[in-house]
Amino acid sequence: MDEDRTGQDSRPPRTQKRPRKVSPRYLENAALHYLKRYASTVSQLRRVLVRRVDRSVKEHGGDRAEALGWIDALVQKLMRNGLINDDAYAGMKAQSLRASGRSSRVIMQKLRLKGVDAELVQRKLALATAEVSDEAAARIWARKKRLGPFRRDPTTREENRQRDLAALARAGFPFGIAKKVIDGALD
């Protein structure tokens, strides 16, 4: 960092880059670049592209409705070509979140926030739960956060019991499962 003797940053403040004027070609390139970097749902990609359109219309003017039509056509094209697939995204995300110890509630919420259909979320969550149960996910989470039987100092386990139960409850696990994990043995 460039600092002068007073400790202040001597660089000029960054200016916001001017958005480019949108066109069907520009939107397609932006979408492909985004999809190269991130796994995405139809809804998430649409939000990204609409933000670009809104910035461009604000800066350059133009017909927002026409640009939104370009986005709809582009999304349909990307779906036909298999570049965005909510079904595959939901399955991958549900399994990875479950394997990392996330509760059904958290997985459902994350997928719904990404714009995945509720029925699809239920199906993919059922498949992920068949592989890793709620109790197994709670044990994974407790191990990662060093709760209950996974505490470094086992002598503090009883005095932190309520805190550990609350941590599992905040992570979205039902009380019965949280109690079973926190009061359970290390293995």
Side-chain angles (χ1 to χ4, degrees), residues 56-128:
S56 175
V57 167
K58 183 178 176 185
E59 180 75 25
H60 303 288
D63 187 10
R64 184 176 190 269
E66 181 183 25
L68 294 179
W70 296 337
I71 290 174
D72 291 337
L74 175 61
V75 166
Q76 292 303 317
K77 177 181 173 183
L78 294 172
M79 287 172 60
R80 273 194 316 272
N81 293 333
L83 292 175
I84 47 177
N85 182 343
D86 282 0
D87 191 79
Y89 176 85
M92 176 268 310
K93 198 71 169 169
Q95 286 182 334
S96 70
L97 287 171
R98 181 56 93 168
S100 71
R102 296 307 202 290
S103 69
S104 297
R105 228 178 256 150
V106 168
I107 295 169
M108 201 175 319
Q109 182 181 24
K110 284 184 180 285
L111 289 174
R112 292 295 294 144
L113 284 173
K114 290 291 186 178
V116 179
D117 180 57
E119 181 184 316
L120 181 58
V121 169
Q122 289 293 334
R123 279 198 330 259
K124 295 303 177 177
L125 185 57
L127 291 173

